[in-house]
């Protein structure tokens, strides 16, 4: 609650529906449904605001809609779910029910490409921000997944990063 008092917990360890296998990221939609990325479960699970399991989507693989070690997750103002598909070096957009809608990026070192993106965030203008971890930079894409800008490089000085992990 706003005072920091414990309210509830949810999700036991496991691979069956409603259980979590190495949960990594969590995001809430406007209805306060919770989306949890499961790094070793290779899926994203949806829970009510009370922690009751509703559904999950994704499975291990490289095709659209499949995930390989998803980490960061966010929900945009339209209710679409964005996942950092870290092991596949891409970002995927899903409907709230898990229908794959868009793939952004692929493995590479040039702008617009990723090397182990660990987090994704979508702002109110529907721009997609990505922590491109092993390329030591942050990248931004428009709502259609087209590259807009990148900043940062490996280092410890102004405008440099050492493996950014979150947005």
């Amino acid at each position: 609650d706003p005072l920091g008092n414990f309210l509830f917990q949810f999700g036991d360890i496991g691979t069956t529906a409603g259980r979590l296998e190495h949960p990594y990221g969590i995001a809430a939609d406007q209805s306060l449904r919770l989306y949890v990325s499961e790094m070793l479960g290779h899926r994203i699970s949806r829970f009510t605001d009370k922690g009751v399991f509703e559904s999950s989507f994704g499975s291990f693989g490289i095709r659209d809609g499949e995930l390989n070690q998803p980490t960061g997750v966010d929900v945009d103002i339209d209710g679409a779910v964005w996942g950092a598909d870290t092991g596949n070096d891409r970002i995927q957009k899903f409907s709230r029910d898990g229908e794959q809608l868009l793939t952004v990026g692929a493995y590479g070192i040039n702008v617009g490409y990723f090397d182990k993106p660990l987090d994704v965030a979508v702002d109110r203008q529907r721009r997609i921000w990505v922590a491109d971890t092993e390329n030591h930079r942050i990248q931004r894409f428009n709502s259609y997944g087209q590259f807009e800008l990148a900043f940062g490089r490996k280092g410890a000085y102004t405008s440099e990063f050492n493996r950014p992990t979150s947005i």
Side-chain angles (χ1 to χ4, degrees), residues 2 31 36 44 46 55 60 63 72 86 106 128 142 146 148-149:
S31 300
V36 180
I44 297 173
R46 186 178 75 199
S55 65
F60 178 75
R63 293 183 294 218
T86 303
I128 305 134
N142 67 20
Q146 299 164 327
E148 290 186 338
L149 68 87

Side-chain angles (χ1 to χ4, degrees), residues 44-145:
I44 297 173
S45 293
R46 186 178 75 199
F47 297 84
T48 68
D49 63 338
K50 303 292 185 211
V52 176
F53 174 76
E54 289 187 330
S55 65
S56 64
F57 53 88
S59 61
F60 178 75
I62 62 171
R63 293 183 294 218
D64 286 347
E66 295 177 334
L67 299 165
N68 181 0
Q69 298 182 341
T71 50
V73 64
D74 199 12
V75 181
D76 68 25
I77 61 173
D78 300 314
V81 180
W82 294 80
D85 188 3
T86 303
N88 287 324
D89 298 300
R90 63 187 180 183
I91 303 299
Q92 291 199 68
K93 177 183 180 182
F94 298 91
S95 72
R96 68 189 69 192
D97 296 316
E99 176 189 358
Q100 202 272 354
L101 303 172
L102 180 68
T103 298
V104 178
Y107 174 77
I109 60 171
N110 295 325
V111 295
Y113 293 86
F114 305 118
D115 187 359
K116 302 294 180 267
L118 281 180
D119 200 15
V120 60
V122 184
D123 66 23
R124 293 199 170 280
Q125 289 76 40
R126 297 178 178 87
R127 295 177 298 202
I128 305 134
W129 296 86
V130 179
D132 186 7
T133 303
E134 294 300 322
N135 283 327
H136 309 279
R137 65 184 172 206
I138 304 296
Q139 296 198 65
R140 187 180 79 196
F141 299 80
N142 67 20
S143 61
Y144 302 104

